[in-house]
Amino acid sequence: MEHSSNSATIVDVLETILDKGVVIAGDIKVGLADVELLTIKIRLVVASVDKAKEMGMDWWETDSYFSSKATEQLEHQNLKLNERIEQLEKKLETKEIEGEKK
C-alpha cells in the first residue's frame, strides 16, 4: 500500500490553522419582497492564543467573566472610586458647615 508523501494529516492542518489563523466572514440577510428584515453578520477567527494576542485580539484578558486578573483590576478601581467619593463627600460636608457658620 502506497501513501502520498504530500498528504496532510488533520494534525498538520490544525497546526497550520492555529499558527497562521483563519478568518471566516459572512452575512445572512433575510428579506421579503425586496425589504430587508434581518441582517446577521458573522465573523469567526480561529487561531492560537499567541497568534490572537499578536493580532491584538486579547479581550479575554480584560473581561471579568473570563479573567480573575480583570476582576482584581475592577475591584481595585472600585475601591479607589469609593475612596474618592468619600473624600469628596467630606469636602462637601466641610464646605456646608463653613457656609452655615457664616
Side-chain angles (χ1 to χ4, degrees):
M1 187 174 352
E2 291 184 29
H3 293 284
S4 175
S5 61
N6 43 342
S7 66
T9 65
I10 189 75
V11 174
D12 295 332
V13 172
L14 187 58
E15 184 179 334
T16 301
I17 288 173
L18 292 177
D19 184 46
K20 303 294 182 190
V22 172
V23 176
I24 301 170
D27 296 337
I28 299 171
K29 295 183 181 187
V30 178
L32 181 63
D34 292 331
V35 176
E36 190 174 311
L37 301 173
L38 176 68
T39 300
I40 300 172
K41 293 186 180 261
I42 299 171
R43 305 293 182 258
L44 173 69
V45 176
V46 179
S48 68
V49 171
D50 292 334
K51 188 65 175 180
K53 283 183 177 181
E54 185 180 311
M55 293 186 298
M57 297 177 59
D58 57 354
W59 51 265
W60 60 87
E61 290 184 349
T62 57
D63 189 323
S64 61
Y65 186 78
F66 293 103
S67 170
S68 61
K69 182 180 175 183
T71 303
E72 290 172 9
Q73 288 175 346
L74 288 174
E75 288 173 354
H76 180 69
Q77 287 176 350
N78 192 21
L79 181 63
K80 288 175 76 174
L81 286 172
N82 283 331
E83 289 172 357
R84 181 72 177 138
I85 289 170
E86 286 178 17
Q87 291 173 355
L88 291 171
E89 286 175 343
K90 285 179 184 176
K91 285 182 182 179
L92 184 60
E93 286 174 7
T94 304
K95 288 186 178 191
E96 287 175 354
I97 291 172
E98 288 176 357
E100 289 176 4
K101 288 181 181 178
K102 290 182 179 179

XYZ file of all heavy atoms in Angstrom:
807
model
N 0.840 -1.167 0.000
C 0.000 0.000 0.000
C 0.898 1.248 0.000
O 1.819 1.348 0.788
C -0.894 0.008 1.238
C -1.850 1.123 1.130
S -3.176 1.393 2.296
C -3.393 0.185 3.421
N 0.612 2.189 -0.892
C 1.415 3.401 -1.003
C 0.672 4.581 -0.396
O -0.532 4.722 -0.538
C 1.705 3.695 -2.475
C 2.644 2.713 -3.108
C 2.970 3.108 -4.538
O 2.938 4.311 -4.838
O 3.247 2.210 -5.332
N 1.439 5.430 0.298
C 0.882 6.659 0.878
C 1.549 7.838 0.193
O 2.753 7.835 -0.027
C 1.150 6.732 2.377
C 0.409 5.692 3.159
N -0.919 5.785 3.424
C 0.845 4.526 3.721
C -1.291 4.728 4.119
N -0.230 3.945 4.322
N 0.759 8.836 -0.116
C 1.302 10.043 -0.724
C 2.115 10.809 0.313
O 1.675 11.013 1.435
C 0.156 10.919 -1.238
O 0.664 12.128 -1.713
N 3.283 11.266 -0.046
C 4.149 11.965 0.900
C 3.686 13.396 1.153
O 4.069 13.997 2.137
C 5.588 11.967 0.394
O 5.660 12.634 -0.843
N 2.860 13.966 0.278
C 2.411 15.332 0.483
C 0.971 15.403 0.975
O 0.359 16.444 0.924
C 2.615 16.198 -0.767
C 2.232 15.517 -2.047
O 2.115 14.306 -2.081
N 2.071 16.276 -3.099
N 0.425 14.318 1.467
C -0.909 14.397 2.053
C -0.771 14.895 3.486
O 0.136 14.516 4.211
C -1.599 13.033 2.023
O -0.924 12.134 2.866
N -1.673 15.781 3.877
C -1.603 16.386 5.202
C -2.553 15.659 6.149
O -3.671 15.313 5.778
C -1.986 17.853 5.120
N -2.075 15.442 7.348
C -2.937 14.854 8.361
C -3.750 15.964 9.009
O -3.435 17.149 8.865
C -2.115 14.126 9.434
O -1.335 15.094 10.140
C -1.222 13.061 8.819
N -4.770 15.581 9.734
C -5.611 16.563 10.425
C -4.786 17.370 11.422
O -5.022 18.554 11.624
C -6.823 15.884 11.098
C -7.818 16.917 11.634
C -6.390 14.979 12.222
C -8.633 17.564 10.586
N -3.780 16.745 12.003
C -2.907 17.438 12.951
C -2.112 18.530 12.237
O -1.978 19.646 12.751
C -1.958 16.433 13.653
C -0.953 17.160 14.530
C -2.749 15.422 14.457
N -1.611 18.230 11.057
C -0.862 19.235 10.289
C -1.759 20.410 9.907
O -1.354 21.566 9.993
C -0.264 18.615 9.026
C 0.788 17.565 9.326
O 1.433 17.662 10.396
O 0.957 16.649 8.495
N -2.967 20.101 9.478
C -3.909 21.156 9.094
C -4.248 22.024 10.298
O -4.226 23.264 10.235
C -5.187 20.546 8.474
C -6.244 21.615 8.252
C -4.858 19.832 7.173
N -4.541 21.383 11.433
C -4.870 22.125 12.649
C -3.694 22.976 13.110
O -3.874 24.126 13.507
C -5.296 21.151 13.750
C -5.827 21.772 15.027
C -7.031 22.660 14.742
C -6.202 20.690 16.019
N -2.503 22.443 13.043
C -1.318 23.200 13.434
C -1.144 24.434 12.553
O -0.846 25.521 13.033
C -0.082 22.308 13.354
C 1.186 22.994 13.830
C 2.403 22.086 13.774
O 2.238 20.857 13.848
O 3.510 22.628 13.641
N -1.345 24.275 11.266
C -1.231 25.402 10.334
C -2.300 26.452 10.619
O -2.011 27.656 10.648
C -1.357 24.918 8.876
O -0.333 23.964 8.628
C -1.234 26.076 7.907
N -3.515 26.001 10.859
C -4.611 26.940 11.143
C -4.315 27.721 12.412
O -4.454 28.946 12.449
C -5.952 26.197 11.252
C -6.406 25.722 9.877
C -7.018 27.085 11.883
C -7.627 24.825 9.907
N -3.912 27.030 13.466
C -3.644 27.712 14.726
C -2.424 28.607 14.638
O -2.362 29.654 15.269
C -3.485 26.694 15.855
C -4.752 25.945 16.237
C -4.454 24.918 17.310
C -5.852 26.889 16.687
N -1.436 28.227 13.845
C -0.223 29.031 13.699
C -0.475 30.285 12.881
O -0.033 31.368 13.230
C 0.880 28.190 13.054
C 2.192 28.954 12.966
O 2.580 29.572 13.976
O 2.814 28.919 11.900
N -1.180 30.141 11.779
C -1.419 31.271 10.877
C -2.710 32.007 11.183
O -2.816 33.202 11.002
C -1.460 30.793 9.413
C -0.217 30.065 8.967
C 0.970 30.978 8.938
C 2.186 30.208 8.430
N 3.405 30.913 8.585
N -3.722 31.274 11.611
C -5.027 31.870 11.868
C -5.902 31.810 10.632
O -5.415 31.816 9.507
N -7.188 31.708 10.857
C -8.158 31.661 9.770
C -9.300 32.592 10.132
O -9.770 32.611 11.264
C -8.716 30.229 9.582
C -9.854 30.212 8.600
C -7.631 29.281 9.149
N -9.752 33.366 9.177
C -10.894 34.242 9.378
C -12.009 33.786 8.461
O -11.807 33.607 7.263
C -10.543 35.718 9.073
C -11.768 36.602 9.199
C -9.425 36.197 9.982
N -13.163 33.582 9.040
C -14.344 33.220 8.257
C -15.354 34.338 8.467
O -15.689 34.671 9.605
C -14.925 31.871 8.720
C -13.876 30.772 8.576
C -16.196 31.544 7.949
C -14.250 29.465 9.223
N -15.814 34.922 7.385
C -16.744 36.041 7.484
C -17.933 35.792 6.573
O -17.790 35.214 5.495
C -16.044 37.334 7.085
N -19.084 36.209 7.037
C -20.266 36.042 6.209
C -21.426 36.875 6.711
O -21.458 37.278 7.873
N -22.359 37.128 5.862
C -23.570 37.865 6.207
C -24.769 37.011 5.848
O -24.799 36.370 4.801
C -23.664 39.185 5.430
C -22.547 40.159 5.779
O -21.984 40.022 6.875
O -22.252 41.034 4.960
N -25.739 37.025 6.721
C -27.005 36.363 6.450
C -28.068 37.455 6.414
O -28.214 38.207 7.373
C -27.356 35.336 7.549
C -26.276 34.255 7.622
C -28.727 34.733 7.308
C -26.422 33.327 8.808
N -28.751 37.556 5.302
C -29.785 38.577 5.161
C -31.116 37.902 4.871
O -31.200 37.028 4.006
C -29.450 39.547 4.030
C -28.206 40.354 4.319
C -27.915 41.364 3.238
C -26.649 42.122 3.589
N -26.401 43.214 2.679
N -32.116 38.307 5.604
C -33.458 37.774 5.417
C -34.335 38.922 4.939
O -34.391 39.981 5.561
C -34.022 37.201 6.744
C -35.434 36.697 6.553
C -33.124 36.105 7.269
N -34.988 38.703 3.828
C -35.847 39.742 3.281
C -37.127 39.171 2.717
O -37.239 37.960 2.462
N -38.080 40.045 2.544
C -39.367 39.665 1.988
C -39.789 40.760 1.025
O -39.865 41.930 1.409
C -40.402 39.504 3.115
C -41.804 39.087 2.721
C -41.790 37.694 2.091
C -42.707 39.084 3.935
N -40.024 40.396 -0.215
C -40.453 41.341 -1.250
C -39.503 42.535 -1.333
O -39.920 43.682 -1.253
C -41.883 41.794 -1.002
N -38.223 42.259 -1.446
C -37.179 43.282 -1.561
C -37.073 44.201 -0.348
O -36.539 45.305 -0.448
C -37.377 44.125 -2.829
C -37.140 43.309 -4.087
O -36.344 42.350 -4.019
O -37.747 43.630 -5.125
N -37.601 43.770 0.795
C -37.463 44.535 2.034
C -36.608 43.710 2.983
O -36.962 42.594 3.349
C -38.842 44.817 2.685
C -38.663 45.531 4.017
C -39.717 45.625 1.742
N -35.483 44.272 3.349
C -34.583 43.560 4.242
C -35.146 43.591 5.658
O -35.377 44.649 6.235
C -33.205 44.215 4.212
C -32.148 43.418 4.917
C -30.773 44.017 4.743
O -30.398 44.327 3.595
O -30.098 44.173 5.754
N -35.401 42.434 6.217
C -35.995 42.331 7.542
C -34.954 42.097 8.639
O -35.110 42.562 9.761
C -37.022 41.197 7.580
C -38.187 41.319 6.601
C -39.025 40.057 6.637
C -39.024 42.535 6.926
N -33.897 41.370 8.306
C -32.918 40.981 9.309
C -31.564 40.772 8.651
O -31.479 40.167 7.587
C -33.366 39.673 9.983
C -32.436 39.034 11.001
C -32.339 39.903 12.248
C -32.951 37.656 11.363
N -30.520 41.288 9.290
C -29.160 41.043 8.823
C -28.345 40.546 9.995
O -28.350 41.152 11.058
C -28.512 42.330 8.266
O -29.289 42.799 7.171
C -27.099 42.072 7.802
N -27.666 39.444 9.808
C -26.777 38.894 10.827
C -25.387 38.835 10.223
O -25.184 38.222 9.181
C -27.230 37.483 11.256
C -28.645 37.529 11.828
C -26.248 36.894 12.257
C -29.232 36.155 12.095
N -24.443 39.495 10.877
C -23.059 39.479 10.413
C -22.289 38.501 11.297
O -22.317 38.611 12.512
C -22.439 40.862 10.490
C -23.073 41.835 9.518
C -22.330 43.155 9.528
C -22.988 44.095 8.558
N -22.322 44.174 7.299
N -21.635 37.567 10.672
C -20.891 36.540 11.389
C -19.415 36.691 11.064
O -19.023 36.728 9.902
C -21.381 35.138 10.989
C -22.853 34.983 11.336
C -20.543 34.070 11.666
C -23.469 33.723 10.789
N -18.619 36.787 12.108
C -17.172 36.859 11.953
C -16.585 35.823 12.908
O -16.851 35.849 14.095
C -16.625 38.233 12.317
C -17.267 39.395 11.564
C -16.931 39.357 10.084
N -17.494 40.479 9.379
C -18.576 40.422 8.628
N -19.241 39.309 8.510
N -19.019 41.474 7.987
N -15.785 34.929 12.405
C -15.187 33.875 13.206
C -13.694 33.857 12.948
O -13.257 33.818 11.801
C -15.802 32.515 12.838
C -15.166 31.288 13.476
C -15.439 31.269 14.971
C -15.723 30.029 12.831
N -12.912 33.915 14.009
C -11.465 33.834 13.898
C -11.024 32.589 14.648
O -11.353 32.405 15.811
C -10.782 35.076 14.500
C -9.273 34.936 14.453
C -11.222 36.333 13.783
N -10.296 31.743 13.973
C -9.730 30.547 14.596
C -8.220 30.715 14.575
O -7.619 30.814 13.509
C -10.136 29.268 13.827
C -9.516 28.041 14.482
C -11.651 29.138 13.757
N -7.629 30.790 15.767
C -6.182 30.973 15.872
C -5.735 30.532 17.255
O -6.552 30.392 18.161
C -5.814 32.440 15.639
N -4.455 30.358 17.412
C -3.910 30.045 18.733
C -3.985 31.307 19.594
O -4.133 32.420 19.088
C -2.464 29.573 18.614
O -1.649 30.642 18.190
N -3.856 31.127 20.889
C -3.884 32.268 21.806
C -2.742 33.221 21.493
O -2.939 34.439 21.445
C -3.813 31.776 23.272
C -3.615 32.937 24.223
C -5.060 30.993 23.629
N -1.566 32.681 21.228
C -0.414 33.535 20.907
C -0.654 34.343 19.644
O -0.351 35.535 19.588
C 0.854 32.693 20.752
C 1.301 32.073 22.067
O 0.971 32.648 23.127
O 1.967 31.024 22.019
N -1.206 33.704 18.618
C -1.489 34.398 17.358
C -2.568 35.464 17.567
O -2.469 36.568 17.038
C -1.924 33.392 16.284
C -2.048 34.006 14.909
C -0.699 34.475 14.415
C -0.781 34.981 12.996
N 0.510 35.430 12.511
N -3.584 35.137 18.350
C -4.642 36.108 18.620
C -4.086 37.327 19.348
O -4.420 38.465 19.014
C -5.750 35.456 19.444
N -3.221 37.099 20.330
C -2.590 38.220 21.041
C -1.751 39.054 20.083
O -1.750 40.277 20.150
C -1.718 37.711 22.182
C -2.490 37.272 23.386
C -1.516 36.853 24.484
C -2.244 36.475 25.737
N -1.315 36.088 26.815
N -1.036 38.387 19.195
C -0.205 39.074 18.206
C -1.063 39.977 17.316
O -0.636 41.052 16.913
C 0.520 38.028 17.360
C 1.510 38.564 16.379
C 2.167 37.439 15.591
O 2.630 36.470 16.211
O 2.199 37.545 14.345
N -2.294 39.532 17.023
C -3.211 40.316 16.185
C -3.954 41.379 16.993
O -4.742 42.134 16.447
C -4.233 39.386 15.518
C -3.635 38.444 14.509
S -4.861 37.466 13.584
C -5.656 36.533 14.871
N -3.712 41.429 18.310
C -4.376 42.422 19.151
C -5.738 41.986 19.646
O -6.523 42.797 20.108
N -6.014 40.717 19.555
C -7.307 40.195 19.995
C -7.112 39.472 21.328
O -6.983 38.265 21.382
C -7.880 39.236 18.957
C -8.166 39.894 17.640
S -8.747 38.739 16.399
C -10.206 38.107 17.178
N -7.083 40.251 22.418
C -6.879 39.656 23.743
C -7.964 40.108 24.714
O -7.725 40.341 25.885
C -5.493 39.999 24.273
C -5.253 41.495 24.342
O -6.109 42.267 23.871
O -4.207 41.889 24.861
N -9.176 40.213 24.217
C -10.299 40.710 25.015
C -10.562 39.858 26.249
O -11.066 40.352 27.246
C -11.569 40.787 24.160
C -11.870 39.518 23.435
C -11.524 39.202 22.164
C -12.538 38.358 23.954
N -11.930 37.933 21.848
C -12.568 37.389 22.933
C -13.116 38.052 25.173
C -13.136 36.141 23.097
C -13.692 36.801 25.343
C -13.702 35.864 24.307
N -10.220 38.599 26.225
C -10.499 37.726 27.360
C -9.652 38.093 28.577
O -9.991 37.741 29.687
C -10.273 36.258 26.986
C -8.873 35.969 26.560
C -7.820 35.652 27.362
C -8.362 36.014 25.236
N -6.688 35.491 26.618
C -6.989 35.705 25.295
C -8.918 36.275 23.996
C -6.180 35.654 24.176
C -8.106 36.216 22.885
C -6.759 35.919 22.978
N -8.547 38.821 28.366
C -7.700 39.222 29.488
C -8.316 40.358 30.286
O -7.989 40.542 31.450
C -6.314 39.619 28.991
C -5.513 38.438 28.496
C -4.105 38.807 28.086
O -3.796 40.011 27.991
O -3.309 37.884 27.869
N -9.193 41.137 29.681
C -9.815 42.263 30.376
C -11.294 42.036 30.666
O -11.938 42.899 31.240
C -9.662 43.552 29.531
O -10.235 43.331 28.238
C -8.200 43.925 29.389
N -11.818 40.902 30.285
C -13.219 40.576 30.536
C -13.312 39.845 31.873
O -12.750 38.769 32.041
C -13.758 39.689 29.412
C -15.258 39.496 29.492
O -15.783 39.393 30.611
O -15.903 39.440 28.439
N -14.026 40.434 32.830
C -14.080 39.858 34.175
C -14.736 38.484 34.193
O -14.517 37.703 35.110
C -14.823 40.804 35.115
O -16.145 40.999 34.669
N -15.506 38.152 33.190
C -16.130 36.836 33.126
C -15.100 35.746 32.842
O -15.240 34.618 33.291
C -17.214 36.833 32.044
C -18.024 35.560 31.997
C -19.022 35.318 32.922
C -17.776 34.596 31.026
C -19.764 34.150 32.882
C -18.499 33.426 30.975
C -19.497 33.208 31.907
O -20.217 32.053 31.870
N -14.046 36.100 32.116
C -13.037 35.127 31.716
C -11.738 35.223 32.500
O -10.927 34.308 32.455
C -12.705 35.285 30.224
C -13.844 34.931 29.331
C -14.603 35.917 28.729
C -14.179 33.614 29.099
C -15.656 35.594 27.908
C -15.232 33.282 28.276
C -15.979 34.272 27.681
N -11.494 36.331 33.178
C -10.178 36.548 33.774
C -10.286 37.010 35.223
O -10.947 38.003 35.512
C -9.424 37.602 32.961
O -8.264 37.998 33.621
N -9.609 36.303 36.120
C -9.569 36.744 37.518
C -8.730 38.006 37.642
O -8.950 38.830 38.522
C -9.012 35.639 38.409
O -7.699 35.305 38.030
N -7.760 38.181 36.740
C -6.931 39.390 36.732
C -7.802 40.617 36.464
O -7.656 41.644 37.113
C -5.840 39.260 35.667
C -4.889 40.425 35.593
C -3.846 40.192 34.509
C -2.954 41.389 34.331
N -2.000 41.200 33.239
N -8.714 40.498 35.519
C -9.613 41.611 35.208
C -10.519 41.902 36.390
O -10.810 43.063 36.698
C -10.440 41.291 33.968
N -10.964 40.868 37.084
C -11.813 41.050 38.257
C -11.056 41.814 39.334
O -11.606 42.728 39.961
C -12.289 39.690 38.800
O -12.978 39.000 37.762
C -13.208 39.855 39.984
N -9.795 41.448 39.547
C -8.971 42.152 40.532
C -8.801 43.616 40.155
O -8.856 44.496 41.011
C -7.601 41.479 40.644
C -7.639 40.112 41.294
C -6.303 39.382 41.221
O -5.297 40.012 40.819
O -6.272 38.197 41.554
N -8.599 43.883 38.868
C -8.451 45.272 38.409
C -9.733 46.059 38.651
O -9.690 47.201 39.104
C -8.089 45.305 36.928
C -6.681 44.864 36.626
C -6.397 44.805 35.129
O -7.306 44.838 34.305
N -5.125 44.712 34.774
N -10.880 45.442 38.371
C -12.159 46.115 38.596
C -12.382 46.384 40.077
O -12.863 47.457 40.458
C -13.304 45.280 38.026
C -13.414 45.230 36.508
C -14.507 44.245 36.096
C -13.703 46.609 35.937
N -12.041 45.417 40.920
C -12.194 45.610 42.362
C -11.290 46.732 42.856
O -11.699 47.552 43.685
C -11.878 44.306 43.100
C -12.954 43.247 42.922
C -12.579 41.904 43.514
O -11.414 41.740 43.970
O -13.445 41.015 43.523
N -10.061 46.798 42.341
C -9.133 47.864 42.718
C -9.670 49.229 42.277
O -9.634 50.193 43.048
C -7.759 47.594 42.105
C -6.738 48.627 42.430
N -6.232 48.800 43.696
C -6.140 49.575 41.650
C -5.365 49.795 43.691
N -5.287 50.276 42.460
N -10.164 49.309 41.047
C -10.744 50.566 40.552
C -11.954 50.972 41.388
O -12.123 52.148 41.712
C -11.149 50.426 39.089
C -9.997 50.384 38.123
C -10.461 50.144 36.690
O -11.605 49.823 36.437
N -9.538 50.288 35.750
N -12.769 49.994 41.736
C -13.953 50.265 42.546
C -13.560 50.807 43.917
O -14.154 51.767 44.425
C -14.792 48.998 42.685
C -16.155 49.255 43.242
O -16.664 50.361 43.189
N -16.766 48.216 43.790
N -12.549 50.209 44.527
C -12.060 50.668 45.822
C -11.555 52.106 45.737
O -11.883 52.944 46.592
C -10.955 49.734 46.321
C -10.352 50.054 47.674
C -11.411 49.935 48.769
C -9.191 49.131 47.974
N -10.768 52.410 44.696
C -10.249 53.766 44.524
C -11.381 54.773 44.310
O -11.354 55.877 44.841
C -9.262 53.805 43.351
C -7.936 53.121 43.660
C -7.030 53.071 42.454
C -6.420 54.422 42.213
N -5.420 54.418 41.129
N -12.388 54.379 43.530
C -13.522 55.278 43.299
C -14.304 55.529 44.586
O -14.725 56.663 44.854
C -14.445 54.703 42.223
C -13.934 54.782 40.796
C -14.853 53.996 39.863
C -13.829 56.221 40.334
N -14.492 54.483 45.380
C -15.191 54.654 46.656
C -14.421 55.572 47.595
O -15.017 56.412 48.279
C -15.445 53.296 47.321
C -16.600 52.556 46.688
O -17.521 53.159 46.157
N -16.541 51.235 46.734
N -13.091 55.429 47.617
C -12.270 56.321 48.437
C -12.397 57.759 47.967
O -12.504 58.685 48.770
C -10.802 55.879 48.394
C -10.531 54.597 49.137
C -9.110 54.084 48.925
O -8.336 54.694 48.142
O -8.774 53.060 49.536
N -12.397 57.955 46.657
C -12.524 59.308 46.091
C -13.890 59.908 46.430
O -13.988 61.091 46.770
C -12.323 59.231 44.572
C -12.406 60.545 43.875
C -11.193 61.397 44.172
N -11.296 62.624 43.408
C -11.001 63.809 43.899
N -10.545 63.939 45.110
N -11.132 64.886 43.162
N -14.930 59.103 46.362
C -16.273 59.584 46.707
C -16.319 60.015 48.163
O -16.881 61.073 48.496
C -17.336 58.500 46.412
C -17.503 58.339 44.903
C -18.665 58.826 47.072
C -18.341 57.141 44.501
N -15.721 59.217 49.046
C -15.685 59.574 50.465
C -14.949 60.887 50.687
O -15.392 61.734 51.469
C -15.025 58.451 51.276
C -15.890 57.229 51.448
C -15.184 56.120 52.213
O -14.160 56.387 52.875
O -15.658 54.973 52.127
N -13.822 61.091 49.994
C -13.067 62.341 50.115
C -13.909 63.528 49.662
O -13.944 64.577 50.316
C -11.784 62.271 49.289
C -10.741 61.322 49.818
C -9.565 61.173 48.864
O -9.571 61.708 47.756
N -8.550 60.432 49.295
N -14.589 63.361 48.529
C -15.420 64.458 48.012
C -16.595 64.755 48.945
O -16.944 65.918 49.152
C -15.920 64.110 46.610
C -14.846 64.078 45.516
C -15.419 63.502 44.230
C -14.282 65.463 45.280
N -17.191 63.710 49.510
C -18.295 63.926 50.448
C -17.822 64.659 51.698
O -18.522 65.540 52.210
C -18.938 62.585 50.824
C -19.780 62.007 49.708
C -20.338 60.617 50.022
O -19.821 59.950 50.953
O -21.282 60.206 49.330
N -16.629 64.336 52.191
C -16.077 65.030 53.361
C -15.832 66.494 53.051
O -16.120 67.377 53.853
C -14.790 64.354 53.824
C -15.029 63.050 54.543
C -13.727 62.404 54.963
C -13.971 61.049 55.599
N -12.722 60.360 55.943
N -15.274 66.770 51.861
C -15.040 68.155 51.455
C -16.356 68.915 51.351
O -16.463 70.069 51.769
C -14.301 68.212 50.119
C -12.851 67.874 50.203
C -12.172 68.006 48.845
C -10.719 67.631 48.918
N -10.051 67.721 47.611
N -17.356 68.270 50.801
C -18.662 68.904 50.661
C -19.279 69.189 52.024
O -19.820 70.279 52.252
C -19.593 68.005 49.831
C -20.968 68.553 49.506
C -20.857 69.839 48.704
C -21.779 67.527 48.740
N -19.175 68.239 52.940
C -19.704 68.447 54.296
C -18.983 69.598 54.981
O -19.595 70.422 55.644
C -19.547 67.177 55.129
C -20.512 66.075 54.758
C -20.239 64.783 55.512
O -19.371 64.775 56.427
O -20.875 63.782 55.182
N -17.659 69.672 54.815
C -16.871 70.745 55.415
C -17.302 72.094 54.869
O -17.477 73.057 55.612
C -15.362 70.528 55.144
O -14.980 69.253 55.623
C -14.525 71.585 55.802
N -17.523 72.189 53.579
C -17.956 73.455 52.965
C -19.358 73.838 53.421
O -19.651 75.000 53.628
C -17.887 73.374 51.447
C -16.479 73.378 50.923
C -16.412 73.449 49.430
C -14.962 73.495 49.021
N -14.776 73.808 47.627
N -20.238 72.844 53.593
C -21.586 73.136 54.062
C -21.564 73.639 55.488
O -22.278 74.576 55.824
C -22.466 71.874 53.955
C -22.849 71.522 52.543
C -23.627 70.202 52.458
O -23.783 69.509 53.469
O -24.088 69.895 51.345
N -20.705 73.057 56.343
C -20.596 73.505 57.731
C -20.027 74.909 57.787
O -20.509 75.753 58.540
C -19.729 72.507 58.542
C -20.470 71.181 58.706
C -19.348 73.089 59.907
C -19.649 70.072 59.315
N -19.006 75.191 56.965
C -18.437 76.543 56.921
C -19.471 77.550 56.429
O -19.525 78.673 56.891
C -17.208 76.555 55.996
C -16.013 75.852 56.570
C -14.837 75.787 55.598
O -14.988 76.258 54.440
O -13.791 75.248 55.996
N -20.317 77.150 55.489
C -21.364 78.030 54.981
C -22.419 78.326 56.024
O -22.970 79.431 56.077
N -22.717 77.381 56.886
C -23.710 77.582 57.947
C -23.167 78.499 59.044
O -23.918 79.230 59.669
C -24.090 76.223 58.555
C -24.913 75.371 57.632
C -25.198 73.979 58.207
O -24.806 73.709 59.366
O -25.809 73.159 57.494
N -21.850 78.474 59.255
C -21.229 79.307 60.291
C -21.260 80.786 59.917
O -21.267 81.637 60.756
C -19.786 78.860 60.557
C -19.685 77.545 61.284
C -18.238 77.197 61.519
C -18.097 75.859 62.224
N -16.703 75.491 62.412
N -21.276 81.074 58.639
C -21.217 82.471 58.190
C -22.502 83.142 58.333
O -23.482 83.214 58.579
C -20.763 82.542 56.732
C -19.324 82.177 56.577
C -18.911 82.320 55.121
C -17.456 81.965 54.987
N -16.980 82.037 53.646
